[in-house]
C-alpha cells in the first residue's frame, strides 16, 4: 500500500512539474509581449514628449506589469541620482537584479539589456532607429514562440506525465 502511494506521488509530482514548465513557456510569451508594449511606450515618450529618460521610465513604469514596473522604477531612481555611473550600466545592473527570476531566456534578456546601451545618449532619431530594430527582432521572437507555443505546452505536459510513469515503473 505504501509503495502504491509513493508511485502515485511520483507520477503526480512529475506531472505537476510538466504543467509548471508549460506555464513558464506561456509566461515567457506574456513577458515578451509586455517588453514590446514598454518599448513602444518609451519610444512614444522619447519621440513626442521629449522628456528626460528618468521621467520617461518612471512614467512608463506606472503602465507596466510585474516585474518590469519595479525594474523601470529602479532604473529611473538610480539614473536620477546620477552617481557617476553610465545609464547602460544602471540599466544592465537593474535588469540582472529585477529580471533574474523572469521566464525570459538568457538570449532574450541579453538583447533587452543591450537596448539600455543605446538609450539616453544618442539623439532622438538614433534612439528611434535602435528601438525599431529591437522591436523588429522582438516581433520575430514573439511570432516564433506564438507558433510553437501549443506544441511546446503539449510537449512539456506529456513529458511530465511520461517521466512520472517511467519513474513509477523503475520504482516497481
Amino acid at each position: 500500500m505504501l509503495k502504491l502511494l509513493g508511485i502515485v506521488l511520483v507520477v503526480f509530482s512529475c506531472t505537476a512539474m510538466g504543467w509548471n514548465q508549460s506555464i513558464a513557456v506561456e509566461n515567457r510569451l506574456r513577458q515578451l509581449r509586455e517588453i514590446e508594449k514598454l518599448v513602444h511606450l518609451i519610444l512614444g515618450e522619447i519621440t513626442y514628449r521629449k522628456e528626460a529618460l528618468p521621467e520617461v521610465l518612471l512614467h512608463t513604469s506606472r503602465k507596466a506589469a510585474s516585474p518590469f514596473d519595479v525594474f523601470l522604477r529602479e532604473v529611473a531612481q538610480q539614473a536620477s541620482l546620477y552617481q557617476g555611473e553610465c545609464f547602460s550600466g544602471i540599466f544592465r545592473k537593474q535588469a540582472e537584479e529585477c529580471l533574474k527570476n523572469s521566464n525570459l531566456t538568457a538570449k532574450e534578456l541579453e538583447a533587452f539589456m543591450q537596448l539600455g546601451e543605446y538609450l539616453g545618449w544618442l539623439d532622438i532619431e538614433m534612439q528611434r532607429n535602435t528601438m525599431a530594430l529591437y522591436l523588429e527582432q522582438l516581433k520575430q521572437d514573439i511570432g516564433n514562440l506564438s507558433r510553437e507555443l501549443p506544441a511546446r505546452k503539449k510537449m512539456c505536459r506529456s513529458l511530465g506525465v511520461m517521466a512520472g510513469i517511467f519513474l513509477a515503473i523503475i520504482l516497481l
Side-chain angles (χ1 to χ4, degrees):
M1 183 65 174
L2 196 56
K3 195 172 191 178
L4 181 63
L5 179 63
I7 289 172
V8 168
L9 286 176
V10 166
V11 172
F12 177 75
S13 298
C14 289
T15 302
M17 287 172 56
W19 278 85
N20 188 37
Q21 190 61 32
S22 88
I23 291 170
V25 171
E26 200 169 356
N27 286 340
R28 181 174 150 222
L29 179 62
R30 189 174 301 120
Q31 288 177 346
L32 286 173
R33 286 184 175 147
E34 182 69 18
I35 288 174
E36 181 182 27
K37 178 185 95 172
L38 294 177
V39 172
H40 279 293
L41 288 171
I42 292 169
L43 183 60
E45 293 278 330
I46 289 173
T47 304
Y48 301 110
R49 294 182 77 180
K50 296 183 180 11
E51 288 188 25
L53 199 52
E55 286 83 19
V56 167
L57 296 179
L58 191 60
H59 184 71
T60 307
S61 73
R62 295 183 191 117
K63 299 174 184 174
S66 181
F68 299 105
D69 58 343
V70 175
F71 164 71
L72 291 173
R73 253 193 320 273
E74 289 296 319
V75 172
Q77 233 176 6
Q78 294 296 320
S80 62
L81 291 176
Y82 190 69
Q83 298 175 343
E85 190 175 1
C86 65
F87 180 79
S88 62
I90 294 169
F91 194 90
R92 180 172 289 277
K93 179 182 166 195
Q94 292 302 322
E96 288 171 351
E97 287 179 19
C98 297
L99 303 178
K100 65 183 172 193
N101 294 327
S102 70
N103 295 106
L104 301 174
T105 64
K107 178 186 164 198
E108 293 162 349
L109 193 56
E110 182 62 33
F112 181 66
M113 288 189 286
Q114 285 179 354
L115 178 66
E117 294 177 16
Y118 301 106
L119 289 177
W121 64 274
L122 299 172
D123 67 344
I124 291 175
E125 190 62 35
M126 288 298 292
Q127 288 183 49
R128 184 182 307 147
N129 293 341
T130 302
M131 292 175 107
L133 176 64
Y134 176 73
L135 281 171
E136 195 61 39
Q137 293 170 344
L138 190 60
K139 284 179 185 177
Q140 287 178 348
D141 290 345
I142 289 171
N144 291 340
L145 188 56
S146 294
R147 280 189 299 279
E148 297 172 0
L149 186 67
R152 281 190 181 207
K153 285 174 61 175
K154 187 175 182 178
M155 180 187 69
C156 290
R157 293 173 183 167
S158 299
L159 283 175
V161 172
M162 296 300 284
I165 293 171
F166 178 71
L167 285 174
I169 291 171
I170 287 178
L171 292 175
L172 284 176

